[in-house]
PDB file of all heavy atoms in Angstrom:
ATOM      1  N   ALA K  25       3.149  -7.557  -6.319  1.00  0.00           N
ATOM      2  CA  ALA K  25       3.026  -7.335  -4.872  1.00  0.00           C
ATOM      3  C   ALA K  25       1.588  -7.056  -4.451  1.00  0.00           C
ATOM      4  O   ALA K  25       1.305  -6.896  -3.274  1.00  0.00           O
ATOM      5  CB  ALA K  25       3.917  -6.169  -4.453  1.00  0.00           C
ATOM      6  N   GLY K  26       0.659  -6.987  -5.433  1.00  0.00           N
ATOM      7  CA  GLY K  26      -0.741  -6.731  -5.127  1.00  0.00           C
ATOM      8  C   GLY K  26      -1.115  -5.260  -5.121  1.00  0.00           C
ATOM      9  O   GLY K  26      -2.248  -4.907  -4.806  1.00  0.00           O
ATOM     10  N   LYS K  27      -0.179  -4.386  -5.469  1.00  0.00           N
ATOM     11  CA  LYS K  27      -0.451  -2.948  -5.505  1.00  0.00           C
ATOM     12  C   LYS K  27      -1.247  -2.610  -6.764  1.00  0.00           C
ATOM     13  O   LYS K  27      -0.895  -3.020  -7.867  1.00  0.00           O
ATOM     14  CB  LYS K  27       0.865  -2.173  -5.497  1.00  0.00           C
ATOM     15  CG  LYS K  27       0.668  -0.688  -5.482  1.00  0.00           C
ATOM     16  CD  LYS K  27       1.995   0.055  -5.454  1.00  0.00           C
ATOM     17  CE  LYS K  27       1.737   1.548  -5.507  1.00  0.00           C
ATOM     18  NZ  LYS K  27       2.993   2.302  -5.582  1.00  0.00           N
ATOM     19  N   ILE K  28      -2.332  -1.842  -6.577  1.00  0.00           N
ATOM     20  CA  ILE K  28      -3.190  -1.429  -7.688  1.00  0.00           C
ATOM     21  C   ILE K  28      -2.934   0.040  -7.982  1.00  0.00           C
ATOM     22  O   ILE K  28      -2.911   0.869  -7.072  1.00  0.00           O
ATOM     23  CB  ILE K  28      -4.677  -1.630  -7.341  1.00  0.00           C
ATOM     24  CG1 ILE K  28      -4.945  -3.082  -6.995  1.00  0.00           C
ATOM     25  CG2 ILE K  28      -5.564  -1.166  -8.499  1.00  0.00           C
ATOM     26  CD1 ILE K  28      -6.316  -3.331  -6.402  1.00  0.00           C
ATOM     27  N   ARG K  29      -2.748   0.362  -9.276  1.00  0.00           N
ATOM     28  CA  ARG K  29      -2.583   1.765  -9.647  1.00  0.00           C
ATOM     29  C   ARG K  29      -3.207   2.010 -11.014  1.00  0.00           C
ATOM     30  O   ARG K  29      -3.332   1.100 -11.833  1.00  0.00           O
ATOM     31  CB  ARG K  29      -1.124   2.180  -9.621  1.00  0.00           C
ATOM     32  CG  ARG K  29      -0.222   1.413 -10.498  1.00  0.00           C
ATOM     33  CD  ARG K  29       1.254   1.739 -10.236  1.00  0.00           C
ATOM     34  NE  ARG K  29       2.102   0.778 -10.891  1.00  0.00           N
ATOM     35  CZ  ARG K  29       2.522   0.860 -12.143  1.00  0.00           C
ATOM     36  NH1 ARG K  29       2.214   1.897 -12.876  1.00  0.00           N
ATOM     37  NH2 ARG K  29       3.278  -0.089 -12.666  1.00  0.00           N
ATOM     38  N   THR K  30      -3.632   3.231 -11.234  1.00  0.00           N
ATOM     39  CA  THR K  30      -4.189   3.639 -12.516  1.00  0.00           C
ATOM     40  C   THR K  30      -3.033   3.978 -13.445  1.00  0.00           C
ATOM     41  O   THR K  30      -2.139   4.725 -13.072  1.00  0.00           O
ATOM     42  CB  THR K  30      -5.097   4.869 -12.345  1.00  0.00           C
ATOM     43  OG1 THR K  30      -6.127   4.538 -11.414  1.00  0.00           O
ATOM     44  CG2 THR K  30      -5.722   5.294 -13.665  1.00  0.00           C
ATOM     45  N   VAL K  31      -3.070   3.435 -14.669  1.00  0.00           N
ATOM     46  CA  VAL K  31      -1.988   3.690 -15.622  1.00  0.00           C
ATOM     47  C   VAL K  31      -2.460   4.418 -16.883  1.00  0.00           C
ATOM     48  O   VAL K  31      -1.641   4.950 -17.623  1.00  0.00           O
ATOM     49  CB  VAL K  31      -1.242   2.388 -15.995  1.00  0.00           C
ATOM     50  CG1 VAL K  31      -0.503   1.833 -14.791  1.00  0.00           C
ATOM     51  CG2 VAL K  31      -2.182   1.343 -16.566  1.00  0.00           C
ATOM     52  N   ALA K  32      -3.769   4.441 -17.130  1.00  0.00           N
ATOM     53  CA  ALA K  32      -4.297   5.157 -18.297  1.00  0.00           C
ATOM     54  C   ALA K  32      -5.728   5.584 -18.029  1.00  0.00           C
ATOM     55  O   ALA K  32      -6.482   4.888 -17.353  1.00  0.00           O
ATOM     56  CB  ALA K  32      -4.241   4.280 -19.544  1.00  0.00           C
ATOM     57  N   GLY K  33      -6.094   6.741 -18.582  1.00  0.00           N
ATOM     58  CA  GLY K  33      -7.445   7.252 -18.423  1.00  0.00           C
ATOM     59  C   GLY K  33      -7.702   7.743 -17.012  1.00  0.00           C
ATOM     60  O   GLY K  33      -6.780   8.097 -16.282  1.00  0.00           O
ATOM     61  N   GLY K  34      -8.986   7.768 -16.647  1.00  0.00           N
ATOM     62  CA  GLY K  34      -9.372   8.177 -15.311  1.00  0.00           C
ATOM     63  C   GLY K  34      -9.549   9.675 -15.139  1.00  0.00           C
ATOM     64  O   GLY K  34     -10.057  10.129 -14.130  1.00  0.00           O
ATOM     65  N   ALA K  35      -9.154  10.470 -16.124  1.00  0.00           N
ATOM     66  CA  ALA K  35      -9.229  11.927 -15.987  1.00  0.00           C
ATOM     67  C   ALA K  35     -10.447  12.474 -16.731  1.00  0.00           C
ATOM     68  O   ALA K  35     -11.467  12.773 -16.136  1.00  0.00           O
ATOM     69  CB  ALA K  35      -7.951  12.572 -16.505  1.00  0.00           C
ATOM     70  N   SER K  36     -10.359  12.555 -18.019  1.00  0.00           N
ATOM     71  CA  SER K  36     -11.404  13.133 -18.858  1.00  0.00           C
ATOM     72  C   SER K  36     -11.935  12.075 -19.803  1.00  0.00           C
ATOM     73  O   SER K  36     -11.240  11.134 -20.154  1.00  0.00           O
ATOM     74  CB  SER K  36     -10.807  14.294 -19.674  1.00  0.00           C
ATOM     75  OG  SER K  36     -11.688  14.693 -20.681  1.00  0.00           O
ATOM     76  N   LYS K  37     -13.183  12.229 -20.240  1.00  0.00           N
ATOM     77  CA  LYS K  37     -13.748  11.321 -21.235  1.00  0.00           C
ATOM     78  C   LYS K  37     -13.435  11.779 -22.654  1.00  0.00           C
ATOM     79  O   LYS K  37     -13.633  11.052 -23.603  1.00  0.00           O
ATOM     80  CB  LYS K  37     -15.271  11.233 -21.065  1.00  0.00           C
ATOM     81  CG  LYS K  37     -15.698  10.562 -19.787  1.00  0.00           C
ATOM     82  CD  LYS K  37     -17.203  10.487 -19.719  1.00  0.00           C
ATOM     83  CE  LYS K  37     -17.657   9.812 -18.451  1.00  0.00           C
ATOM     84  NZ  LYS K  37     -19.113   9.696 -18.391  1.00  0.00           N
ATOM     85  N   THR K  38     -12.954  12.992 -22.792  1.00  0.00           N
ATOM     86  CA  THR K  38     -12.669  13.551 -24.105  1.00  0.00           C
ATOM     87  C   THR K  38     -11.360  12.992 -24.641  1.00  0.00           C
ATOM     88  O   THR K  38     -10.352  13.022 -23.939  1.00  0.00           O
ATOM     89  CB  THR K  38     -12.568  15.088 -24.024  1.00  0.00           C
ATOM     90  OG1 THR K  38     -13.757  15.581 -23.427  1.00  0.00           O
ATOM     91  CG2 THR K  38     -12.387  15.697 -25.393  1.00  0.00           C
ATOM     92  N   PRO K  39     -11.353  12.478 -25.866  1.00  0.00           N
ATOM     93  CA  PRO K  39     -10.110  11.927 -26.398  1.00  0.00           C
ATOM     94  C   PRO K  39      -9.063  13.028 -26.595  1.00  0.00           C
ATOM     95  O   PRO K  39      -9.393  14.168 -26.873  1.00  0.00           O
ATOM     96  CB  PRO K  39     -10.526  11.330 -27.741  1.00  0.00           C
ATOM     97  CG  PRO K  39     -11.765  12.040 -28.117  1.00  0.00           C
ATOM     98  CD  PRO K  39     -12.443  12.417 -26.831  1.00  0.00           C
ATOM     99  N   ALA K  40      -7.816  12.659 -26.407  1.00  0.00           N
ATOM    100  CA  ALA K  40      -6.708  13.586 -26.587  1.00  0.00           C
ATOM    101  C   ALA K  40      -5.789  13.041 -27.667  1.00  0.00           C
ATOM    102  O   ALA K  40      -5.922  11.900 -28.097  1.00  0.00           O
ATOM    103  CB  ALA K  40      -5.957  13.751 -25.266  1.00  0.00           C
ATOM    104  N   ALA K  41      -4.837  13.845 -28.092  1.00  0.00           N
ATOM    105  CA  ALA K  41      -3.879  13.424 -29.107  1.00  0.00           C
ATOM    106  C   ALA K  41      -3.106  12.199 -28.635  1.00  0.00           C
ATOM    107  O   ALA K  41      -2.975  11.960 -27.437  1.00  0.00           O
ATOM    108  CB  ALA K  41      -2.918  14.566 -29.400  1.00  0.00           C
ATOM    109  N   ALA K  42      -2.592  11.433 -29.566  1.00  0.00           N
ATOM    110  CA  ALA K  42      -1.872  10.210 -29.243  1.00  0.00           C
ATOM    111  C   ALA K  42      -0.606  10.459 -28.434  1.00  0.00           C
ATOM    112  O   ALA K  42      -0.119   9.566 -27.758  1.00  0.00           O
ATOM    113  CB  ALA K  42      -1.521   9.472 -30.529  1.00  0.00           C
ATOM    114  N   SER K  43      -0.092  11.663 -28.473  1.00  0.00           N
ATOM    115  CA  SER K  43       1.186  11.946 -27.814  1.00  0.00           C
ATOM    116  C   SER K  43       1.065  12.353 -26.348  1.00  0.00           C
ATOM    117  O   SER K  43       2.072  12.590 -25.704  1.00  0.00           O
ATOM    118  CB  SER K  43       1.913  13.055 -28.577  1.00  0.00           C
ATOM    119  OG  SER K  43       1.132  14.238 -28.558  1.00  0.00           O
ATOM    120  N   VAL K  44      -0.148  12.412 -25.800  1.00  0.00           N
ATOM    121  CA  VAL K  44      -0.311  12.829 -24.402  1.00  0.00           C
ATOM    122  C   VAL K  44       0.031  11.677 -23.459  1.00  0.00           C
ATOM    123  O   VAL K  44      -0.052  10.512 -23.843  1.00  0.00           O
ATOM    124  CB  VAL K  44      -1.745  13.324 -24.108  1.00  0.00           C
ATOM    125  CG1 VAL K  44      -2.105  14.495 -24.979  1.00  0.00           C
ATOM    126  CG2 VAL K  44      -2.751  12.221 -24.235  1.00  0.00           C
ATOM    127  N   PRO K  45       0.379  11.986 -22.205  1.00  0.00           N
ATOM    128  CA  PRO K  45       0.610  10.908 -21.227  1.00  0.00           C
ATOM    129  C   PRO K  45      -0.651  10.058 -21.051  1.00  0.00           C
ATOM    130  O   PRO K  45      -1.774  10.559 -21.181  1.00  0.00           O
ATOM    131  CB  PRO K  45       0.942  11.675 -19.943  1.00  0.00           C
ATOM    132  CG  PRO K  45       1.451  13.000 -20.407  1.00  0.00           C
ATOM    133  CD  PRO K  45       0.669  13.303 -21.659  1.00  0.00           C
ATOM    134  N   ALA K  46      -0.455   8.780 -20.754  1.00  0.00           N
ATOM    135  CA  ALA K  46      -1.577   7.844 -20.664  1.00  0.00           C
ATOM    136  C   ALA K  46      -2.654   8.275 -19.684  1.00  0.00           C
ATOM    137  O   ALA K  46      -3.844   8.053 -19.921  1.00  0.00           O
ATOM    138  CB  ALA K  46      -1.054   6.459 -20.284  1.00  0.00           C
ATOM    139  N   LEU K  47      -2.285   8.907 -18.568  1.00  0.00           N
ATOM    140  CA  LEU K  47      -3.287   9.322 -17.584  1.00  0.00           C
ATOM    141  C   LEU K  47      -4.140  10.482 -18.079  1.00  0.00           C
ATOM    142  O   LEU K  47      -5.151  10.815 -17.470  1.00  0.00           O
ATOM    143  CB  LEU K  47      -2.607   9.682 -16.257  1.00  0.00           C
ATOM    144  CG  LEU K  47      -2.028   8.487 -15.511  1.00  0.00           C
ATOM    145  CD1 LEU K  47      -1.242   8.934 -14.290  1.00  0.00           C
ATOM    146  CD2 LEU K  47      -3.118   7.507 -15.112  1.00  0.00           C
ATOM    147  N   GLN K  48      -3.766  11.103 -19.191  1.00  0.00           N
ATOM    148  CA  GLN K  48      -4.553  12.185 -19.777  1.00  0.00           C
ATOM    149  C   GLN K  48      -5.219  11.756 -21.090  1.00  0.00           C
ATOM    150  O   GLN K  48      -5.750  12.584 -21.826  1.00  0.00           O
ATOM    151  CB  GLN K  48      -3.657  13.397 -20.036  1.00  0.00           C
ATOM    152  CG  GLN K  48      -3.059  13.979 -18.788  1.00  0.00           C
ATOM    153  CD  GLN K  48      -2.033  15.055 -19.093  1.00  0.00           C
ATOM    154  OE1 GLN K  48      -1.955  15.569 -20.204  1.00  0.00           O
ATOM    155  NE2 GLN K  48      -1.237  15.404 -18.110  1.00  0.00           N
ATOM    156  N   ALA K  49      -5.204  10.471 -21.369  1.00  0.00           N
ATOM    157  CA  ALA K  49      -5.679   9.962 -22.655  1.00  0.00           C
ATOM    158  C   ALA K  49      -7.166  10.180 -22.890  1.00  0.00           C
ATOM    159  O   ALA K  49      -7.609  10.256 -24.017  1.00  0.00           O
ATOM    160  CB  ALA K  49      -5.350   8.481 -22.786  1.00  0.00           C
ATOM    161  N   GLY K  50      -7.973  10.264 -21.854  1.00  0.00           N
ATOM    162  CA  GLY K  50      -9.402  10.503 -22.022  1.00  0.00           C
ATOM    163  C   GLY K  50     -10.175   9.295 -22.506  1.00  0.00           C
ATOM    164  O   GLY K  50     -10.779   9.317 -23.562  1.00  0.00           O
ATOM    165  N   LEU K  51     -10.165   8.207 -21.750  1.00  0.00           N
ATOM    166  CA  LEU K  51     -10.960   7.034 -22.096  1.00  0.00           C
ATOM    167  C   LEU K  51     -12.430   7.313 -21.791  1.00  0.00           C
ATOM    168  O   LEU K  51     -12.752   7.989 -20.823  1.00  0.00           O
ATOM    169  CB  LEU K  51     -10.496   5.822 -21.294  1.00  0.00           C
ATOM    170  CG  LEU K  51      -9.043   5.390 -21.473  1.00  0.00           C
ATOM    171  CD1 LEU K  51      -8.746   4.208 -20.556  1.00  0.00           C
ATOM    172  CD2 LEU K  51      -8.748   5.039 -22.911  1.00  0.00           C
ATOM    173  N   ASN K  52     -13.322   6.766 -22.634  1.00  0.00           N
ATOM    174  CA  ASN K  52     -14.758   6.952 -22.441  1.00  0.00           C
ATOM    175  C   ASN K  52     -15.466   5.650 -22.778  1.00  0.00           C
ATOM    176  O   ASN K  52     -15.662   5.327 -23.935  1.00  0.00           O
ATOM    177  CB  ASN K  52     -15.275   8.093 -23.310  1.00  0.00           C
ATOM    178  CG  ASN K  52     -16.730   8.421 -23.026  1.00  0.00           C
ATOM    179  OD1 ASN K  52     -17.324   7.909 -22.091  1.00  0.00           O
ATOM    180  ND2 ASN K  52     -17.301   9.282 -23.834  1.00  0.00           N
ATOM    181  N   GLY K  53     -15.819   4.911 -21.753  1.00  0.00           N
ATOM    182  CA  GLY K  53     -16.513   3.636 -21.951  1.00  0.00           C
ATOM    183  C   GLY K  53     -15.626   2.553 -22.540  1.00  0.00           C
ATOM    184  O   GLY K  53     -16.046   1.848 -23.452  1.00  0.00           O
ATOM    185  N   PRO K  54     -14.412   2.380 -22.030  1.00  0.00           N
ATOM    186  CA  PRO K  54     -13.551   1.323 -22.567  1.00  0.00           C
ATOM    187  C   PRO K  54     -14.186  -0.045 -22.339  1.00  0.00           C
ATOM    188  O   PRO K  54     -14.765  -0.291 -21.295  1.00  0.00           O
ATOM    189  CB  PRO K  54     -12.258   1.486 -21.776  1.00  0.00           C
ATOM    190  CG  PRO K  54     -12.672   2.120 -20.497  1.00  0.00           C
ATOM    191  CD  PRO K  54     -13.817   3.024 -20.852  1.00  0.00           C
ATOM    192  N   LYS K  55     -14.087  -0.917 -23.363  1.00  0.00           N
ATOM    193  CA  LYS K  55     -14.773  -2.206 -23.283  1.00  0.00           C
ATOM    194  C   LYS K  55     -13.874  -3.422 -23.415  1.00  0.00           C
ATOM    195  O   LYS K  55     -14.291  -4.520 -23.098  1.00  0.00           O
ATOM    196  CB  LYS K  55     -15.833  -2.292 -24.390  1.00  0.00           C
ATOM    197  CG  LYS K  55     -17.015  -1.407 -24.164  1.00  0.00           C
ATOM    198  CD  LYS K  55     -18.075  -1.680 -25.204  1.00  0.00           C
ATOM    199  CE  LYS K  55     -19.312  -0.859 -24.933  1.00  0.00           C
ATOM    200  NZ  LYS K  55     -20.345  -1.095 -25.921  1.00  0.00           N
ATOM    201  N   PHE K  56     -12.658  -3.258 -23.912  1.00  0.00           N
ATOM    202  CA  PHE K  56     -11.825  -4.426 -24.189  1.00  0.00           C
ATOM    203  C   PHE K  56     -10.366  -4.077 -23.979  1.00  0.00           C
ATOM    204  O   PHE K  56      -9.940  -2.977 -24.325  1.00  0.00           O
ATOM    205  CB  PHE K  56     -12.060  -4.877 -25.638  1.00  0.00           C
ATOM    206  CG  PHE K  56     -11.316  -6.118 -26.024  1.00  0.00           C
ATOM    207  CD1 PHE K  56     -11.768  -7.368 -25.639  1.00  0.00           C
ATOM    208  CD2 PHE K  56     -10.169  -6.046 -26.787  1.00  0.00           C
ATOM    209  CE1 PHE K  56     -11.081  -8.514 -26.003  1.00  0.00           C
ATOM    210  CE2 PHE K  56      -9.477  -7.188 -27.152  1.00  0.00           C
ATOM    211  CZ  PHE K  56      -9.937  -8.426 -26.765  1.00  0.00           C
ATOM    212  N   VAL K  57      -9.613  -5.007 -23.433  1.00  0.00           N
ATOM    213  CA  VAL K  57      -8.178  -4.807 -23.214  1.00  0.00           C
ATOM    214  C   VAL K  57      -7.429  -6.032 -23.752  1.00  0.00           C
ATOM    215  O   VAL K  57      -7.922  -7.171 -23.647  1.00  0.00           O
ATOM    216  CB  VAL K  57      -7.869  -4.557 -21.720  1.00  0.00           C
ATOM    217  CG1 VAL K  57      -8.205  -5.736 -20.864  1.00  0.00           C
ATOM    218  CG2 VAL K  57      -6.435  -4.140 -21.516  1.00  0.00           C
ATOM    219  N   TRP K  58      -6.271  -5.779 -24.367  1.00  0.00           N
ATOM    220  CA  TRP K  58      -5.479  -6.850 -24.950  1.00  0.00           C
ATOM    221  C   TRP K  58      -4.006  -6.577 -24.709  1.00  0.00           C
ATOM    222  O   TRP K  58      -3.515  -5.511 -25.048  1.00  0.00           O
ATOM    223  CB  TRP K  58      -5.753  -6.930 -26.449  1.00  0.00           C
ATOM    224  CG  TRP K  58      -4.935  -7.956 -27.157  1.00  0.00           C
ATOM    225  CD1 TRP K  58      -3.748  -7.765 -27.816  1.00  0.00           C
ATOM    226  CD2 TRP K  58      -5.239  -9.336 -27.290  1.00  0.00           C
ATOM    227  NE1 TRP K  58      -3.293  -8.940 -28.333  1.00  0.00           N
ATOM    228  CE2 TRP K  58      -4.199  -9.934 -28.027  1.00  0.00           C
ATOM    229  CE3 TRP K  58      -6.283 -10.140 -26.841  1.00  0.00           C
ATOM    230  CZ2 TRP K  58      -4.177 -11.287 -28.330  1.00  0.00           C
ATOM    231  CZ3 TRP K  58      -6.261 -11.475 -27.159  1.00  0.00           C
ATOM    232  CH2 TRP K  58      -5.223 -12.040 -27.892  1.00  0.00           C
ATOM    233  N   ALA K  59      -3.286  -7.532 -24.146  1.00  0.00           N
ATOM    234  CA  ALA K  59      -1.841  -7.379 -23.914  1.00  0.00           C
ATOM    235  C   ALA K  59      -1.083  -7.937 -25.117  1.00  0.00           C
ATOM    236  O   ALA K  59      -1.313  -9.078 -25.535  1.00  0.00           O
ATOM    237  CB  ALA K  59      -1.432  -8.114 -22.648  1.00  0.00           C
ATOM    238  N   GLU K  60      -0.192  -7.141 -25.660  1.00  0.00           N
ATOM    239  CA  GLU K  60       0.617  -7.536 -26.811  1.00  0.00           C
ATOM    240  C   GLU K  60       1.897  -8.228 -26.338  1.00  0.00           C
ATOM    241  O   GLU K  60       2.318  -8.062 -25.186  1.00  0.00           O
ATOM    242  CB  GLU K  60       1.001  -6.295 -27.624  1.00  0.00           C
ATOM    243  CG  GLU K  60      -0.180  -5.652 -28.343  1.00  0.00           C
ATOM    244  CD  GLU K  60      -0.545  -6.393 -29.609  1.00  0.00           C
ATOM    245  OE1 GLU K  60       0.171  -6.259 -30.601  1.00  0.00           O
ATOM    246  OE2 GLU K  60      -1.557  -7.125 -29.574  1.00  0.00           O
ATOM    247  N   LYS K  61       2.551  -8.954 -27.212  1.00  0.00           N
ATOM    248  CA  LYS K  61       3.798  -9.652 -26.879  1.00  0.00           C
ATOM    249  C   LYS K  61       4.909  -8.683 -26.489  1.00  0.00           C
ATOM    250  O   LYS K  61       5.795  -9.033 -25.721  1.00  0.00           O
ATOM    251  CB  LYS K  61       4.254 -10.517 -28.050  1.00  0.00           C
ATOM    252  CG  LYS K  61       3.379 -11.716 -28.287  1.00  0.00           C
ATOM    253  CD  LYS K  61       3.878 -12.549 -29.440  1.00  0.00           C
ATOM    254  CE  LYS K  61       2.954 -13.729 -29.684  1.00  0.00           C
ATOM    255  NZ  LYS K  61       3.422 -14.565 -30.795  1.00  0.00           N
ATOM    256  N   ASP K  62       4.869  -7.454 -27.021  1.00  0.00           N
ATOM    257  CA  ASP K  62       5.919  -6.469 -26.721  1.00  0.00           C
ATOM    258  C   ASP K  62       5.697  -5.762 -25.380  1.00  0.00           C
ATOM    259  O   ASP K  62       6.464  -4.892 -25.004  1.00  0.00           O
ATOM    260  CB  ASP K  62       6.050  -5.441 -27.844  1.00  0.00           C
ATOM    261  CG  ASP K  62       4.824  -4.541 -27.988  1.00  0.00           C
ATOM    262  OD1 ASP K  62       3.857  -4.670 -27.212  1.00  0.00           O
ATOM    263  OD2 ASP K  62       4.841  -3.687 -28.892  1.00  0.00           O
ATOM    264  N   GLY K  63       4.632  -6.138 -24.657  1.00  0.00           N
ATOM    265  CA  GLY K  63       4.348  -5.547 -23.353  1.00  0.00           C
ATOM    266  C   GLY K  63       3.368  -4.391 -23.388  1.00  0.00           C
ATOM    267  O   GLY K  63       2.884  -3.946 -22.354  1.00  0.00           O
ATOM    268  N   SER K  64       3.053  -3.890 -24.572  1.00  0.00           N
ATOM    269  CA  SER K  64       2.075  -2.810 -24.671  1.00  0.00           C
ATOM    270  C   SER K  64       0.668  -3.377 -24.499  1.00  0.00           C
ATOM    271  O   SER K  64       0.452  -4.585 -24.610  1.00  0.00           O
ATOM    272  CB  SER K  64       2.198  -2.063 -26.000  1.00  0.00           C
ATOM    273  OG  SER K  64       1.905  -2.918 -27.088  1.00  0.00           O
ATOM    274  N   VAL K  65      -0.281  -2.503 -24.205  1.00  0.00           N
ATOM    275  CA  VAL K  65      -1.658  -2.916 -23.951  1.00  0.00           C
ATOM    276  C   VAL K  65      -2.585  -2.112 -24.856  1.00  0.00           C
ATOM    277  O   VAL K  65      -2.517  -0.881 -24.898  1.00  0.00           O
ATOM    278  CB  VAL K  65      -2.038  -2.677 -22.466  1.00  0.00           C
ATOM    279  CG1 VAL K  65      -3.475  -3.072 -22.202  1.00  0.00           C
ATOM    280  CG2 VAL K  65      -1.097  -3.447 -21.552  1.00  0.00           C
ATOM    281  N   LEU K  66      -3.443  -2.806 -25.600  1.00  0.00           N
ATOM    282  CA  LEU K  66      -4.435  -2.148 -26.455  1.00  0.00           C
ATOM    283  C   LEU K  66      -5.743  -2.016 -25.690  1.00  0.00           C
ATOM    284  O   LEU K  66      -6.151  -2.939 -24.983  1.00  0.00           O
ATOM    285  CB  LEU K  66      -4.667  -2.954 -27.729  1.00  0.00           C
ATOM    286  CG  LEU K  66      -3.453  -3.164 -28.620  1.00  0.00           C
ATOM    287  CD1 LEU K  66      -3.821  -4.048 -29.797  1.00  0.00           C
ATOM    288  CD2 LEU K  66      -2.904  -1.839 -29.096  1.00  0.00           C
ATOM    289  N   ILE K  67      -6.393  -0.863 -25.859  1.00  0.00           N
ATOM    290  CA  ILE K  67      -7.656  -0.578 -25.171  1.00  0.00           C
ATOM    291  C   ILE K  67      -8.683  -0.163 -26.211  1.00  0.00           C
ATOM    292  O   ILE K  67      -8.452   0.802 -26.959  1.00  0.00           O
ATOM    293  CB  ILE K  67      -7.478   0.572 -24.162  1.00  0.00           C
ATOM    294  CG1 ILE K  67      -6.360   0.255 -23.171  1.00  0.00           C
ATOM    295  CG2 ILE K  67      -8.795   0.865 -23.445  1.00  0.00           C
ATOM    296  CD1 ILE K  67      -5.850   1.475 -22.437  1.00  0.00           C
ATOM    297  N   ALA K  68      -9.804  -0.868 -26.275  1.00  0.00           N
ATOM    298  CA  ALA K  68     -10.909  -0.465 -27.149  1.00  0.00           C
ATOM    299  C   ALA K  68     -11.712   0.589 -26.406  1.00  0.00           C
ATOM    300  O   ALA K  68     -12.408   0.288 -25.438  1.00  0.00           O
ATOM    301  CB  ALA K  68     -11.776  -1.662 -27.508  1.00  0.00           C
TER     302      ALA K  68
END
């Protein structure tokens, strides 16, 4: 529908444990994104 929303990162640059919600993941300078066949998305 053209709606844009943040689904991961955007909060802190500090990495967090793998079990935290995606919006608290703490991305810092992400450079690459890859969509997997299962629908998940990898972020470098």
